[in-house]
Amino acid sequence: MAHDFFSDRSPDNVNLTLAKESEFICQKLGLSVHKTKNGLEFLMDNANKEVMVQRLKRFGMSKLIILAYNKDPYFYNYTDIDMNKGLPSMYCSSENASSIDVTDSHKIEIKSSCKLQLKDSPYSVDIVKNGGGEQSWEKTVSEGNTIINLSPYGSGKYEIKDNGQTVDSFFYCESIAGTIKPFLVMEIFIKDLQDQINDILDKSAEPKIYNVNFKSRKSIWRYVIVMKNSNFDDLSIKLEDESVNFEKKEDYFNQQIKFKHMAFESNEQIPFADSSSFQFKLINNEADNSGCLFNALPLPSAKQLTFEQGQAVSEIIVII
């Protein structure tokens, strides 16, 4: 798992764990699971090759479910995911690709209750469990307010279809307990690994690696210069290589700030990063007292993110 926000590409604030039902499959296959700095590693004992091949045939229609729990309250602030409808949860699968850039198209509701209640449903809807090489399960519902027990059909992605068109989707995981839910669920289908595992057992292939990548959120950076101990009329913010420009926001006024102040906004969105090389200078342009007031202004952080008319803004106040 990688995130553009982190300079070392290793997000250490995400806890990856294997769903309980997948632990059973790993035991039967002889796979041992190890946590690494930025993911999970599945190891095999090559001495049990013949047993592994036979068990692969038995479990080839099964899957491994990996749950990702977020330990950082600001994760969504610096991650490029739409938060208009609250904190989202996401789903990805080995069916899509070996490398997945998580975007809004992966958003899904994660359910821990096996009771699915259809309210005000159309006259007839189909509930289909995502196959992924499994035997797809499908049920037709003809009445509203119908409660369906999903536990006999197991964890997985389900779709509700009306006349063949998907109108809703969700992921049900029977091993999620309590109010804390994962923000991301991943399915790796054994069928997608089977040929690769056979090759590895024959020592003719490298291990299979699945990558899940998150993009950093971009926002407008706003500096509010508060003149508590000074009085300047002509200031500007400069970056030495001029790759980012700041313009004075003439109509900015914050009634909570009791001192003279002025604001500057970047003319483009800047991505968040845990380590940034930007060094913005605060310049006094007044003819009789020009010069650099700050060589390196402090940088806005993801903690200071707000949304103004749907646009992400990171504001930081600097007192001079």
Side-chain angles (χ1 to χ4, degrees):
M1 181 173 288
H3 199 305
D4 289 346
F5 176 81
F6 298 93
S7 55
D8 61 358
R9 305 286 294 174
S10 301
D12 57 2
N13 52 9
V14 173
N15 180 32
L16 294 177
T17 184
L18 199 62
K20 290 182 179 179
E21 54 264 48
S22 297
E23 292 177 358
F24 169 79
I25 294 175
C26 285
Q27 291 172 0
K28 292 300 181 182
L29 286 176
L31 293 173
S32 59
V33 185
H34 296 264
K35 291 189 177 183
T36 65
K37 185 177 181 181
N38 60 343
L40 290 179
E41 194 173 61
F42 297 86
L43 304 179
M44 300 180 296
D45 183 359
N46 208 39
N48 296 324
K49 180 171 69 172
E50 297 303 324
V51 175
M52 173 72 75
V53 171
Q54 293 303 315
R55 288 178 176 176
L56 278 173
K57 294 178 181 178
R58 179 183 172 189
F59 288 95
M61 306 301 280
S62 301
K63 61 194 173 188
L64 303 177
I65 299 175
I66 301 170
L67 309 174
Y69 291 89
N70 173 28
K71 299 185 293 182
D72 186 347
Y74 297 104
F75 179 86
Y76 289 107
N77 282 29
Y78 58 73
T79 302
D80 189 20
I81 296 291
D82 184 11
M83 297 192 301
N84 283 336
K85 296 182 179 180
L87 298 182
S89 51
M90 290 156 283
Y91 165 85
C92 58
S93 161
S94 62
E95 275 195 309
N96 305 114
S98 60
S99 184
I100 300 169
D101 290 326
V102 178
T103 63
D104 287 338
S105 62
H106 295 88
K107 289 166 67 171
I108 197 171
E109 181 183 1
I110 298 177
K111 296 180 180 289
S112 57
S113 172
C114 64
K115 301 295 184 181
L116 173 65
Q117 184 171 11
L118 298 175
K119 295 182 179 180
D120 302 322
S121 66
Y123 175 74
S124 178
V125 296
D126 297 324
I127 303 173
V128 182
K129 184 180 179 184
N130 186 31
E134 296 181 301
Q135 180 68 38
S136 294
W137 171 78
E138 184 171 336
K139 182 178 181 65
T140 299
V141 181
S142 300
E143 298 177 4
N145 301 313
T146 300
I147 297 178
I148 299 171
N149 183 9
L150 297 175
S151 57
Y153 313 106
S155 299
K157 181 184 177 183
Y158 290 81
E159 293 182 342
I160 300 177
K161 295 189 175 184
D162 181 21
N163 292 322
Q165 298 295 319
T166 300
V167 294
D168 194 13
S169 63
F170 61 91
F171 190 92
Y172 162 63
C173 187
E174 58 189 9
S175 66
I176 298 175
T179 56
I180 300 177
K181 293 183 180 180
F183 78 97
L184 174 67
V185 61
M186 294 164 276
E187 288 185 309
I188 298 179
F189 294 99
I190 300 297
K191 73 169 183 69
D192 294 331
L193 296 175
Q194 199 157 357
D195 291 340
Q196 191 79 11
I197 290 175
N198 288 333
D199 290 340
I200 293 171
L201 292 171
D202 291 333
K203 297 183 178 180
S204 61
E206 294 296 320
K208 182 75 171 179
I209 298 176
Y210 287 99
N211 297 305
V212 178
N213 308 306
F214 290 92
K215 301 294 184 184
S216 286
R217 183 186 297 280
K218 295 180 180 180
S219 73
I220 295 296
W221 283 14
R222 178 189 296 155
Y223 281 96
V224 180
I225 309 300
V226 179
M227 285 164 273
K228 183 178 180 180
N229 304 305
S230 58
N231 185 17
F232 297 102
D233 295 313
D234 189 7
L235 300 176
S236 61
I237 295 176
K238 302 286 187 183
L239 186 63
E240 194 163 325
D241 64 4
E242 297 185 351
S243 58
V244 178
N245 295 312
F246 279 82
E247 297 179 359
K248 186 176 180 181
K249 189 173 174 63
E250 299 291 350
D251 58 348
Y252 182 89
F253 175 74
N254 189 329
Q255 62 182 2
Q256 295 180 333
I257 300 177
K258 305 304 180 183
F259 300 93
K260 180 179 178 181
H261 58 278
M262 61 182 69
F264 299 86
E265 287 188 357
S266 61
N267 60 356
E268 60 185 83
Q269 293 185 325
I270 302 173
F272 285 118
D274 66 337
S275 178
S276 177
S277 60
F278 287 132
Q279 284 194 335
F280 295 114
K281 296 183 178 182
L282 181 63
I283 307 296
N284 175 26
N285 300 303
E286 295 175 3
D288 57 344
N289 193 27
S290 63
C292 181
L293 301 177
F294 276 85
N295 274 316
L297 287 169
L299 303 179
S301 76
K303 298 179 182 180
Q304 299 152 323
L305 181 72
T306 60
F307 290 90
E308 299 178 7
Q309 299 178 343
Q311 178 173 255
V313 177
S314 305
E315 182 177 283
I316 185 168
I317 295 176
V318 179
I319 299 175
I320 62 174

